[in-house]
Amino acid sequence: MGTDVLSLRIDGKLLDRMRTHAARRGMSVQDYVIRTLVREDFDERFKAAVEKTEKFYG
């Protein structure tokens, strides 16, 4: 798996909150954002799989 760069423009107050959340977990802001995005992506894929299963079994 390769890596790419994503650049974001973030409000200062939001960045401060993200720094606080990341620090509580002993993480960098970058790691915190990545973990949050991965978790959100998993949740969406899991929900879609459940919906497909429910449609299949009626």
Side-chain angles (χ1 to χ4, degrees):
M1 179 170 95
T3 60
D4 291 308
V5 174
L6 173 65
S7 177
L8 300 172
R9 189 176 302 256
I10 299 175
D11 177 74
K13 290 180 183 179
L14 175 58
L15 183 56
D16 288 341
R17 288 197 323 264
M18 290 169 60
R19 283 185 180 129
T20 301
H21 290 296
R24 285 185 197 146
R25 291 162 178 80
M27 305 168 73
S28 68
V29 173
Q30 178 180 346
D31 290 340
Y32 176 78
V33 170
I34 295 299
R35 181 173 284 186
T36 302
L37 291 172
V38 167
R39 185 180 63 231
E40 181 69 22
D41 180 60
F42 172 81
D43 290 347
E44 287 180 19
R45 289 183 291 128
F46 183 77
K47 181 181 176 186
V50 168
E51 289 172 355
K52 285 182 182 179
T53 301
E54 287 174 346
K55 281 184 180 180
F56 181 76
Y57 289 107

